[in-house]
Amino acid sequence: MKKKEMVAMLLAGGQGKRLKGLTKSIAKPAVYFGGTYRIIDFPLSNCTNSGIDTVGVLTQYEPLVLSSYIGIGSDWDLNRKNGGVFVLPPHEREDGSSWYRGTADAIYRNLKFVDQFDPEHVLILSGDHIYKMNYNAMLEYHKEKKADCTISVIDVPIEDASRFGILNTEENLKIYEFEEKPAKPKSTLASMGVYIFKWEVLRRALLEDGEDALSSHDFGKDIIPALLSKGKSMYAYPFEGYWRDVGTVNSLWEANMDLLSDNPPLNLNDPSWRIYTRNPNQPAQYVAPGAKVSGSIINEGCIVRGEVKHSVLFYAVEVGEGSVITDSVIMPKVKIGKNVRIHKAIINENTVIEDYLEIGTDRENEDEILLIDNRSKKRKSVPAKTI
Amino acid sequence: MKQLMGVINLDHELDNLNELTYFRCGAAVPFASRYRLIDFVLSNMMRAELESVGLFVRRKYRSLMDHLGDGKSWDMNRKHGGLFILPPDWNDPTDTSLGDLQHFHNNLDFFKRASAKYIVHSGSQHINTIDFQELYSYHLQKGADVTLVYKKIDQLEPEHDPCLRLEVDGEGNVTNIHHEKNHPNIYLDMFIMEKELFLEQVEYCIAHGESFFFRDAIQKRRDKLKIAAFEYTGYHAVINSLSSYYKNSMELLNQEEYTDLFRDNLVQTKIKYEAPTHYLESANVSNSLVANGCIIAGTVENSVIFRGVQIRKGARVVNSVVMQKCIIEENAVIENVILDKDVQLSRERILVGDSKRPFVIAKSSKM
C-alpha cells in the first residue's frame, strides 16, 4: 500500500442503547437522520470532502446493515484502488479472541491495518454526531502546532458542560487537563470526539494501554489522560458550526427539527459540501390535491394526501387523507392511514399506522418524544372516536 | 446463461421536441421529475437481466453519455457484457450500407461476441414497463421468426399519428403493418428475434441496397417471415412531440398513471446526491410531483418539478414542468410553461403559455 499522510478510523461499533428501539437491530451509526441519511453519512462525507480517501470503519454491534450499507464505499467516492473504505469487525487472532473492549482497544487491534498505510497522522472519528467539518483544515492546524494530538472542541453552554468531556487549556489552546463529564466544569470547551494523533505517538500509547489490565481501553478515559500526564503536546482545535450528538431519542428528534427552519443551521443543500448517502432510487414525491405541506423536509417516493407540518418524512412514506402530522420524524416506508394524528413522535421504519389512530396528541409531558414501531403502536396510541 | 441481448436504436428517432432537443437527443430529454426518457427502456432491460445492451446513437449524444456513464445505475457495469454506447464512427471505403443497417453492420463484433441467442430491440420514445422475459417466453411459445410488441389504444391522439400499426389475426400473428391513422394497434418499436436471423437479415438488406432494418427486413418481407404479435397492456406513453411531452407529464399527476408507471419503484436513473426537498413555512403545494433537492417557498399547483429547483416566496408555478436547477424568483409567475434546465426567472416576471401549446424556455436562459 502507498503511504498516506492521514488515515481515518471511524468508531462505529456502539449499540446506542439510549436510542431504544431505533437500534434494536442496527448499530447507532446506521440510524436514519434528516429525511434520507444515516448518521454515518456525515463523517464519511466529511472524509471525502476533506480529501481523506482511506477510512477504516470499526464495527461490532449488529454490523450487517452497516456493512452492507457501506458496501465498497462508492456512494461516498471511497471505492479506491489505493485506500478506500474498509469495514473492520473484531476478529480472532493467534493470542485468542474477544470483542473490542473499548474505543482505544478497537484501534489497538487494528494496528496492522493502519500500519500498512504508514501514515504520519491518524484521525479518530465517531459515528454518532451530525456535523459538517473540514478535517483537512484541522490537520493543517495540527501540523502548524506540531502537536502530538489535536482534539476538536466546540463551545457549549456552561450548564450543559458536565455532559461532555471538557478540555482545560492555556491561552494558546494547549491542553493541560481533560475531564470526562466533570461535575464542576472549568471551561466550556467540549470534546467532539474528533482526534488527530501522530500515529507514532498513538501507536506507542495503544501498545502500552493494551498491556494494561486495569485500563478500560478508552480514548477519553485512558489514552488522552495518559498522554497528558506524559507531557505530550496536545492542542484543542476550536470548531465553529453546527454539531450535534444524536445519542438519545430526544436529541435525534431535536437535530431533525433543527433542519426545518427557513434558514437551517445545518445546510444540507450546499453543493460545495454534499452529504453523500446510498440513494434509495424512488420516484418523485407526490403531493396530492388538498394536501398541505409546510416547514418540512420530504424525501422522494412519498405520497402525501394529508397535512404535514414541521416534520421530516423519509423516503416512500404515505400519508392518507385527513391525517395531520406535526413536529414528527417519519422513517422510511411508513404507511399512515386516513385521519391519523401524529404529534412529537418518531415513527420507526416500515410501521403501519391504522386509520383514526392518535399518537402523542393527548399527553402531559411534551418533552418526551414518543418512539413508535409496529410493536409499540398498539400500546402507545389510543384509537380516537370515529369522526 | 443469459439468452437475451438488447439493442436500443435511436438512429431513426427524430429530435422534434423543439427547444428541449436543440442540444440533446430525444432519449436524453428529462421526464417525470428525475428521469430521462432512456431510463425507462434501460430499466426494463435491467429487470430482464439482459447480457448486454448496445445503444446506437447518431446525433447530439453528449448529454446522453454523461447521463449513462458506465451503466452502473442500471447494474450494467459488468465484466462481461453490460452497456455499450455505439456511436457511428466508421471509415470503410468499401462499405455500402446505409441507415441503421450501417450501424448494425459496423458493429457486427458487438453482436457476435455476445453469447446471447436472442435480440430485443427497442427505441426510447415509447415509455412503458414491459417485461422482456415474458415477451421472450411468448416468442418461444409462438415459434415465430420475430415477435412485435403493440398496444391497443382506446383513444388515439395526435402523437400516435407517426406510429406504425399492426393488424393482428385471432391467433396473434401479424397480418399487416401499415400507417393507417385510425387503426388502434400501435407498434411500440419493439421486437425480439434470434440473433442469427437478425444478422442474416442485416446482410441480406445491405446486399440489396436497403437502409432501414425494420422497414426493409420486416415490414417489406412480411410474407417471408412468421411474425407474431405480443400485446402489452401496462402504462404507455409516446413522447414524440412537445405536446405529447407536456400532456404525458401532466397525466403523471393522475394517481393511477403514477402508480402504473412506478408501481414497483423499479425505474433507475443516474444517482444525484440531493438533500430531500425543503418546504418552507410559506410553501403551498398541491397535485404536483416534486423531486429532491428543491427549496420551495412559493405556490406550486399541477406541476412537475425536477431536482434542485428553487421556488421563492410569492412565486407561483401552475400547470408547468420545471427542470433541474431552475430558480424562480420572488413573485414570478409561470403557467403552462416548460422551463428547461438552469433557467432563471427574475422577480415579478410573468410567463403564461397555452394549455395546448405550452411556452418552452430553452436551457440556461436568464429571463
Side-chain angles (χ1 to χ4, degrees):
Chain A
M1 290 283 182
K2 213 170 121 193
K3 184 175 169 68
K4 298 275 172 188
E5 185 178 25
M6 183 160 77
V7 167
M9 297 295 272
L10 173 51
L11 301 161
Q15 177 182 0
K17 281 200 186 87
R18 293 172 304 157
L19 285 168
K20 300 176 189 164
L22 291 172
T23 53
K24 200 176 285 171
S25 57
I26 57 175
K28 179 151 83 167
V31 167
Y32 287 107
F33 174 80
T36 192
Y37 310 98
R38 293 181 188 260
I39 297 169
I40 197 169
D41 289 334
F42 288 82
L44 285 178
S45 301
N46 287 342
C47 282
T48 296
N49 291 330
S50 305
I52 296 165
D53 61 10
T54 307
V55 184
V57 179
L58 299 131
T59 62
Q60 178 150 298
Y61 175 77
E62 288 288 352
L64 174 65
V65 169
L66 195 57
S67 45
S68 60
Y69 179 71
I70 292 169
I72 59 166
S74 53
D75 286 302
W76 302 269
D77 206 15
L78 289 170
N79 53 333
R80 299 304 181 85
K81 281 254 189 268
N82 178 31
V85 65
F86 298 79
V87 175
L88 305 169
H91 51 272
E92 200 173 359
R93 301 188 306 186
E94 199 185 7
D95 58 4
S97 60
S98 74
W99 298 109
Y100 291 148
R101 292 169 295 175
T103 50
D105 190 49
I107 309 292
Y108 169 65
R109 282 153 186 270
N110 288 286
L111 284 180
K112 275 186 246 167
F113 169 77
V114 181
D115 277 342
Q116 58 183 339
F117 299 102
D118 187 22
E120 294 294 312
H121 310 280
V122 170
L123 171 68
I124 309 291
L125 301 170
S126 58
D128 39 14
H129 301 134
I130 302 294
Y131 64 115
K132 300 197 290 190
M133 178 173 175
N134 188 342
Y135 302 134
N136 199 38
M138 182 174 168
L139 176 63
E140 289 304 316
Y141 175 93
H142 171 77
K143 290 197 293 196
E144 207 176 280
K145 294 279 187 193
K146 297 192 169 57
D148 293 314
C149 168
T150 302
I151 300 176
S152 182
V153 294
I154 189 153
D155 211 8
V156 293
I158 185 78
E159 60 271 21
D160 294 347
S162 57
R163 286 173 29 217
F164 296 94
I166 295 294
L167 293 165
N168 302 316
T169 64
E170 289 161 17
E171 223 151 86
N172 63 356
L173 293 171
K174 191 170 196 298
I175 302 165
Y176 63 85
E177 191 182 22
F178 178 87
E179 295 180 291
E180 186 72 36
K181 295 181 182 150
K184 283 196 182 141
K186 293 177 216 146
S187 92
T188 54
L189 294 182
S191 164
M192 294 164 58
V194 175
Y195 317 119
I196 293 178
F197 290 96
K198 266 192 190 144
W199 176 231
E200 189 196 317
V201 172
L202 178 63
R203 199 176 189 283
R204 189 167 308 133
L206 288 173
L207 286 171
E208 282 168 17
D209 178 76
E211 300 300 317
D212 182 354
L214 298 172
S215 171
S216 52
H217 310 290
D218 186 82
F219 273 101
K221 290 191 196 105
D222 308 292
I223 300 289
I224 291 167
L227 289 177
L228 267 176
S229 71
K230 282 189 183 145
K232 294 285 176 192
S233 152
M234 300 173 77
Y235 281 85
Y237 174 71
F239 172 76
E240 281 168 19
Y242 184 87
W243 178 84
R244 194 116 201 180
D245 181 325
V246 288
T248 63
V249 172
N250 271 44
S251 64
L252 182 73
W253 176 86
E254 278 165 18
N256 274 289
M257 294 298 118
D258 285 344
L259 301 171
L260 301 178
S261 67
D262 283 3
N263 286 306
L266 180 75
N267 180 7
L268 296 173
N269 268 303
D270 176 4
S272 70
W273 204 270
R274 286 203 186 285
I275 305 302
Y276 299 99
T277 183
R278 181 159 285 190
N279 192 299
N281 206 357
Q282 295 277 323
Q285 56 196 263
Y286 175 66
V287 182
K292 274 190 191 164
V293 180
S294 70
S296 294
I297 63 176
I298 298 187
N299 197 359
E300 286 172 332
C302 290
I303 297 179
V304 181
R305 297 198 179 81
E307 190 175 339
V308 179
K309 231 175 123 178
H310 202 252
S311 295
V312 174
L313 266 59
F314 282 74
Y315 66 86
V317 168
E318 286 180 29
V319 180
E321 276 166 40
S323 292
V324 181
I325 297 167
T326 46
D327 300 342
S328 294
V329 178
I330 316 294
M331 298 291 194
K333 294 180 272 180
V334 169
K335 303 279 173 270
I336 297 168
K338 294 175 186 170
N339 301 305
V340 170
R341 298 277 180 281
I342 298 175
H343 180 62
K344 278 203 171 179
I346 297 178
I347 313 289
N348 208 355
E349 59 182 321
N350 288 313
T351 304
V352 178
I353 309 285
E354 312 282 349
D355 297 355
Y356 297 107
L357 279 181
E358 297 213 350
I359 293 167
T361 46
D362 184 25
R363 62 176 150 191
E364 286 165 13
N365 182 10
E366 285 230 351
D367 290 344
E368 188 212 2
I369 303 305
L370 296 178
L371 177 64
I372 309 294
D373 57 28
N374 273 327
R375 290 178 194 207
S376 63
K377 77 173 197 287
K378 287 197 178 67
R379 182 167 52 82
K380 280 198 173 157
S381 56
V382 190
K385 289 175 210 98
T386 311
I387 299 163
Chain B
M1 195 174 74
K2 297 198 171 175
Q3 288 288 350
L4 304 179
M5 67 188 295
V7 166
I8 302 175
N9 184 1
L10 308 181
D11 202 63
H12 55 279
E13 290 187 351
L14 299 172
D15 303 333
N16 49 8
L17 270 69
N18 301 355
E19 287 87 342
L20 300 185
T21 46
Y22 282 175
F23 306 108
R24 54 169 89 92
C25 59
V29 167
F31 184 67
S33 270
R34 63 192 292 275
Y35 303 98
R36 293 184 186 248
L37 294 183
I38 190 85
D39 291 340
F40 297 89
V41 57
L42 277 178
S43 299
N44 290 342
M45 290 187 167
M46 172 185 163
R47 282 201 295 277
E49 297 183 359
L50 271 57
E51 179 203 345
S52 53
V53 173
L55 180 67
F56 292 92
V57 296
R58 191 176 287 276
R59 296 167 293 263
K60 294 187 277 190
Y61 49 79
R62 201 271 316 153
S63 65
L64 190 66
M65 303 219 342
D66 177 32
H67 179 69
L68 298 170
D70 61 354
K72 179 173 189 281
S73 301
W74 302 269
D75 201 17
M76 287 181 187
N77 55 339
R78 308 273 94 198
K79 279 253 187 272
H80 181 76
L83 181 67
F84 295 83
I85 301 170
L86 305 167
D89 175 24
W90 196 256
N91 287 303
D92 177 358
T94 63
D95 178 27
T96 57
S97 54
L98 295 162
D100 59 7
L101 287 166
Q102 185 181 36
H103 255 342
F104 298 147
H105 173 78
N106 293 350
N107 290 288
L108 285 177
D109 283 353
F110 163 69
F111 293 100
K112 288 182 174 160
R113 278 183 194 151
S115 58
K117 217 177 148 200
Y118 291 85
I119 283 176
V120 173
H121 172 285
S122 176
S124 75
Q125 295 180 328
H126 291 267
I127 308 297
N128 60 74
T129 58
I130 192 169
D131 178 347
F132 286 126
Q133 287 295 343
E134 198 185 322
L135 171 66
Y136 172 52
S137 326
Y138 180 84
H139 176 72
L140 292 185
Q141 176 205 324
K142 292 290 288 181
D145 293 321
V146 53
T147 298
L148 310 184
V149 180
Y150 73 99
K151 165 131 183 158
K152 196 170 176 216
I153 305 283
D154 298 333
Q155 191 170 352
L156 290 165
E157 301 280 344
E159 70 254 32
H160 296 117
D161 285 358
C163 302
L164 280 169
R165 320 291 155 128
L166 303 183
E167 275 182 27
V168 182
D169 68 13
E171 259 111 63
N173 296 309
V174 173
T175 57
N176 205 350
I177 302 170
H178 54 63
H179 255 119
E180 286 174 26
K181 284 185 181 160
N182 296 325
H183 199 280
N185 292 345
I186 297 286
Y187 170 56
L188 298 193
D189 238 355
M190 266 192 260
F191 64 78
I192 180 168
M193 74 194 298
E194 217 168 309
K195 184 168 80 180
E196 283 311 310
L197 180 60
F198 175 83
L199 295 178
E200 264 171 42
Q201 299 287 323
V202 169
E203 293 300 331
Y204 177 89
C205 288
I206 290 170
H208 290 80
E210 291 171 323
S211 42
F212 293 104
F213 185 84
F214 187 81
R215 186 191 67 193
D216 301 327
I218 297 178
Q219 192 177 2
K220 276 194 195 161
R221 307 183 73 212
R222 179 165 57 73
D223 302 334
K224 299 193 173 60
L225 297 166
K226 180 172 162 46
I227 307 180
F230 177 85
E231 187 181 1
Y232 166 74
T233 53
Y235 176 92
H236 173 246
V238 201
I239 313 285
N240 56 2
S241 65
L242 203 58
S243 62
S244 65
Y245 175 83
Y246 181 66
K247 192 187 72 181
N248 285 299
S249 295
M250 290 297 131
E251 277 176 6
L252 278 180
L253 300 175
N254 172 340
Q255 270 293 275
E256 251 171 66
E257 303 247 345
Y258 175 89
T259 18
D260 252 11
L261 181 55
F262 298 118
R263 62 179 185 275
D264 300 314
N265 301 318
L266 289 170
V267 186
Q268 307 289 321
T269 190
K270 179 183 176 182
I271 298 298
K272 299 270 168 71
Y273 294 90
E274 299 277 8
T277 281
H278 190 174
Y279 295 81
L280 304 191
E281 282 300 329
S282 53
N284 186 359
V285 180
S286 78
N287 198 37
S288 294
L289 282 180
V290 185
N292 271 357
C294 300
I295 299 176
I296 301 180
T299 297
V300 181
E301 278 170 40
N302 309 324
S303 294
V304 176
I305 312 294
F306 283 72
R307 293 187 271 204
V309 168
Q310 298 189 28
I311 299 171
R312 304 259 152 86
K313 235 179 182 170
R316 271 172 58 82
V317 174
V318 183
N319 302 328
S320 294
V321 175
V322 181
M323 292 189 194
Q324 220 179 309
K325 298 211 160 85
C326 286
I327 298 175
I328 299 172
E329 298 279 3
E330 284 176 29
N331 302 319
V333 176
I334 57 171
E335 195 170 334
N336 306 322
V337 171
I338 298 174
L339 299 185
D340 202 334
K341 284 172 71 174
D342 291 318
V343 171
Q344 282 188 37
L345 204 65
S346 56
R347 296 165 70 120
E348 325 277 340
R349 186 83 202 214
I350 297 174
L351 292 179
V352 180
D354 185 274
S355 63
K356 293 276 175 252
R357 286 182 66 99
F359 216 161
V360 185
I361 308 296
K363 191 172 160 181
S364 303
S365 315
K366 286 194 171 61
M367 306 207 55

